[in-house]
Amino acid sequence: MKFLQLSVLPLLIVILSLNGATLAHPYGDFLHCLSLRISNSSTISKVIYTQNNPSYSSVLNASIHNARFSTATTPKPYAIITPRKTSHVQSTIYCSDNHGFQLRIRSGGHDVEGVSYVSQVPFVILDLVNFREVKVDTENEVAWVQSGATTGELYYGIASKTQTLGFPAGICHTIGIGGHLSGGGFGVLGRKYGLAVDHVIDAKLVDANGRVLRRKSMGEDLFWAIRGGGGNTFGVVLAWKVKLVPVPPVVTVFTVNKNLEQNATKIFHRWQYIAHKLPKDLFTTVWVMKVNSSQVGKKTVQAGFRGMFLGGVDELLPLIQHEFPELGLAKENCTQMSWVQSILYFGGLPIQTVDILLNRHALPVSSLKAKTDFVREPMSETGIEGFMNMFLEEEADFAITMIEAFGGRMDEIRENELPYPHRAGILFESSYFVQWTNEADAGLCINWIRRLYSYMASYASKSPREAYYNYKDLDLGTNNIIGYTSYEQASVWGLKYFKNNFKRLVQIKTKVDPMNFFRNEQSIPPL
Ligand code: FDA
């Protein structure tokens, strides 16, 4: 019945107003095309969500993780397609290409600039929420994970089979595998094992022509590009085969909080000289944010020194006391747990409830803006002081900077091994976030993070000032969302994310998607 209703839809001409210009858009043709190709009426109702469908809003909002792009004025997709089979993905590509819709691919929906579910031109979302299978093979120490699964679902899948294997991906358990692996993937195992993409050994991709490709059939160039060269650029990655890594049954995590009155600035200054040189088994990070001071009614800034050691507390304590005595780490700051529990610890969740890893909505959603830096030279003490003091400003009430030590395995991998180039010589990566709950505060908060970023210019890497693609920042520059984007225009942001690898990414894009079907504000353009 549903099929009939859809297939006899009149060829609706939707009049769209875009930048003052009026375009006629064959929305009905697109739906007609897709419903004909899917053909089974009960499947159609589970796969195509038009704006008239009562579930449209809940399907759209289910994977929006930045409320900044969920307002009444945010452009909405004409339809959301939730494929259940590879052929549905192929049909969506075919019909959106033939009927003039841009495609936004969404896996976990954590894109910080919302580009997986927002566009300024007519678009549909291909939402991989039903591509969530995780198959762990402990004997061969590999897993196949579909793009719509979250990192939490992968971690849970591994931990439910073994306590001695893990996977080196991001800290937050609700991020999608599809977007995360498309840009790199750094987490607490990063110093020991490198990025998530360093462990991808095969993938299944649907290209702009609808062909289903595996590593062998796509060739090493394209396989290189999809491991970090950006999402929604080379095709739809349906699944990834990853190599798992050994983890000990017991790891030790710790937190030591120091505020401005407790020498936070000096300790952070010292940390910069030590953290990247520590043994690979020890990852440390500093979380900077505003907190209440011990003086009633006053605020201060806290540097939270957190870490994970791949071993027991008895080995960790003498190591830190020898290498970094200024931290004052004591046994009571440390907790031993399994690797999978450490994911919950870093996510601020109770470690007893590993099942939370399966909850894609476990974390609250607010509005946010993010920026990143890679730092190659230690900051001066006065530089750090100025940085910390900026958190005392009113707009920084819900701001945090996560500063993650590099070195270890990251130093050993060549810059052009994969598209992600931020490797040897990086002391740490800083991810700056500002959040707000009241829309009226957006302007002030975004202005604050831009000022913070300007302040950091003298301390961050230079020529280019490197940035992490997975925390997309459209302030760095964008493509033309309709029409041609020149190499020079895209280089403005592209060199920051990919350094010299940008050129190779453009060459590969030109070969595999010359018509630029897969595109967004910061996708690699063809020549
Ligand atoms: P989403 O679905 O929004 O996709 C992101 C981009 O990839 C979009 O351009 C999208 O079109 C494209 N894409 C998605 N699926 C695709 C597919 N199957 N094929 C092709 N293209 C696809 N990073 C990190 O390295 N370490 C960390 O610890 C964290 N932590 C973290 C916490 C929080 C709260 C946020 C908001 C973000 C992070 N990140 C991170 C950044 C994260 O890795 C990044 O936002 C990923 O792109 C998210 O992937 P999703 O699939 O969730 O995003």
Side-chain angles (χ1 to χ4, degrees):
M1 267 328 261
K2 283 260 169 54
F3 170 61
L4 272 181
Q5 280 166 17
L6 282 166
S7 61
V8 296
L9 267 178
L11 298 188
L12 259 185
I13 303 297
V14 180
I15 307 300
L16 300 160
S17 190
L18 178 76
N19 294 336
T22 304
L23 301 173
H25 201 83
Y27 174 49
D29 285 358
F30 166 77
L31 284 182
H32 187 67
C33 170
L34 198 56
S35 46
L36 273 182
R37 289 175 72 97
I38 294 178
S39 88
N40 178 312
S41 57
S42 70
T43 309
I44 286 173
S45 66
K46 287 189 218 138
V47 168
I48 306 176
Y49 294 87
T50 63
Q51 292 186 349
N52 297 329
N53 189 309
S55 304
Y56 171 89
S57 295
S58 60
V59 175
L60 175 64
N61 294 330
S63 297
I64 290 186
H65 289 276
N66 189 349
R68 183 176 153 213
F69 302 108
S70 184
T71 68
T73 55
T74 308
K76 303 285 187 279
Y78 277 82
I80 307 159
I81 319 301
T82 57
R84 289 179 177 258
K85 296 200 279 194
T86 302
S87 63
H88 300 160
V89 175
Q90 294 169 300
S91 299
T92 308
I93 293 172
Y94 176 84
C95 296
S96 44
D97 194 17
N98 274 270
H99 298 290
F101 279 92
Q102 275 195 15
L103 191 66
R104 295 291 159 129
I105 310 164
R106 184 164 76 171
S107 286
H110 278 70
D111 192 287
V112 285
E113 294 283 13
V115 309
S116 58
Y117 52 89
V118 181
S119 172
Q120 300 303 320
V121 297
F123 72 109
V124 295
I125 296 178
L126 181 74
D127 189 327
L128 295 174
V129 64
N130 297 317
F131 276 72
R132 299 246 295 272
E133 194 175 58
V134 176
K135 270 192 194 159
V136 177
D137 168 359
T138 47
E139 201 180 320
N140 294 301
E141 304 185 351
V142 295
W144 266 105
V145 54
Q146 289 187 317
S147 283
T150 58
T151 47
E153 287 165 338
L154 173 60
Y155 297 151
Y156 185 91
I158 299 168
S160 56
K161 287 202 162 180
T162 170
Q163 295 289 297
T164 53
L165 290 172
F167 187 66
I171 290 173
C172 170
H173 80 268
T174 57
I175 48 186
I177 289 292
H180 191 53
L181 269 59
S182 294
F186 185 83
V188 290
L189 291 176
R191 297 195 67 249
K192 175 78 175 177
Y193 294 116
L195 302 174
V197 279
D198 295 329
H199 301 270
V200 171
I201 52 177
D202 201 348
K204 187 173 169 188
L205 169 114
V206 185
D207 75 1
N209 298 315
R211 290 179 307 169
V212 181
L213 304 171
R214 291 275 302 271
R215 178 176 188 167
K216 216 163 171 199
S217 46
M218 75 178 81
E220 284 303 302
D221 261 354
L222 182 52
F223 185 58
W224 176 85
I226 61 170
R227 285 175 292 162
N232 202 5
T233 285
F234 303 101
V236 180
V237 184
L238 296 181
W240 313 74
K241 186 178 185 183
V242 296
K243 184 87 189 128
L244 306 178
V245 298
V247 291
V250 171
V251 305
T252 307
V253 296
F254 65 86
T255 301
V256 177
N257 292 323
K258 300 282 181 189
N259 63 33
L260 290 176
E261 295 72 39
Q262 295 164 325
N263 265 341
T265 310
K266 272 195 167 21
I267 301 171
F268 176 27
H269 181 253
R270 184 82 193 111
W271 175 86
Q272 304 174 101
Y273 290 86
I274 296 165
H276 65 287
K277 290 193 203 145
L278 288 168
K280 283 181 193 169
D281 285 346
L282 179 53
F283 166 79
T284 59
T285 172
V286 188
W287 294 8
V288 176
M289 64 181 122
K290 183 191 283 186
V291 294
N292 289 329
S293 142
S294 53
Q295 286 173 275
V296 182
K298 288 222 159 152
K299 299 281 180 188
T300 183
V301 182
Q302 173 179 289
F305 294 84
R306 299 171 150 236
M308 183 179 81
F309 178 63
L310 294 168
V313 66
D314 293 341
E315 210 183 324
L316 170 68
L317 276 178
L319 173 65
I320 293 261
Q321 277 153 10
H322 183 258
E323 301 288 338
F324 191 17
E326 299 84 349
L327 184 63
L329 183 73
K331 201 163 188 171
E332 53 270 28
N333 305 124
C334 304
T335 316
Q336 297 194 140
M337 57 184 65
S338 65
W339 161 74
V340 79
Q341 287 178 318
S342 76
I343 305 289
L344 298 170
Y345 177 85
F346 279 96
L349 296 163
I351 62 163
Q352 294 76 14
T353 52
V354 174
D355 289 359
I356 287 187
L357 293 176
L358 300 178
N359 182 349
R360 299 166 80 90
H361 307 287
L363 307 174
V365 174
S366 61
S367 296
L368 66 95
K369 167 83 188 153
K371 288 179 169 290
T372 54
D373 262 324
F374 289 90
V375 175
R376 291 176 176 275
E377 300 290 334
M379 295 172 70
S380 62
E381 232 176 278
T382 37
I384 295 174
E385 208 172 286
F387 167 73
M388 304 267 276
N389 282 337
M390 284 193 74
F391 284 79
L392 289 171
E393 295 178 23
E394 206 178 319
E395 300 90 324
D397 278 356
F398 304 103
I400 182 166
T401 294
M402 295 161 120
I403 301 166
E404 296 178 328
F406 269 42
R409 180 74 187 128
M410 293 299 281
D411 268 350
E412 296 166 357
I413 300 175
R414 280 178 299 125
E415 257 185 34
N416 60 358
E417 184 77 27
L418 288 180
Y420 178 104
H422 323 286
R423 304 278 195 171
I426 303 281
L427 304 184
F428 55 87
E429 188 220 321
S430 291
S431 305
Y432 317 108
F433 298 91
V434 64
Q435 303 182 32
W436 58 93
T437 45
N438 185 347
E439 229 181 298
D441 296 333
L444 285 172
C445 291
I446 293 174
N447 187 32
W448 177 83
I449 200 170
R450 287 180 178 150
R451 281 192 291 109
L452 184 78
Y453 188 70
S454 301
Y455 175 83
M456 285 298 292
S458 31
Y459 306 105
S461 56
K462 294 176 185 62
S463 306
R465 183 171 181 182
E466 298 168 58
Y468 181 21
Y469 181 86
N470 261 354
Y471 293 110
K472 225 169 259 139
D473 176 8
L474 298 189
D475 292 353
L476 300 180
T478 57
N479 297 332
N480 300 328
I481 209 58
I482 308 180
Y484 180 68
T485 298
S486 69
Y487 179 84
E488 288 67 32
Q489 180 179 341
S491 300
V492 174
W493 56 266
L495 293 173
K496 293 184 166 69
Y497 290 139
F498 302 112
K499 297 181 78 179
N500 291 331
N501 296 329
F502 183 61
K503 200 168 179 187
R504 182 170 173 202
L505 287 168
V506 171
Q507 284 162 349
I508 295 169
K509 171 75 176 179
T510 308
K511 221 170 5 176
V512 303
D513 183 19
M515 301 311 288
N516 204 13
F517 171 71
F518 291 107
R519 62 193 295 167
N520 62 40
E521 289 76 359
Q522 285 183 341
S523 57
I524 306 290
L527 284 172

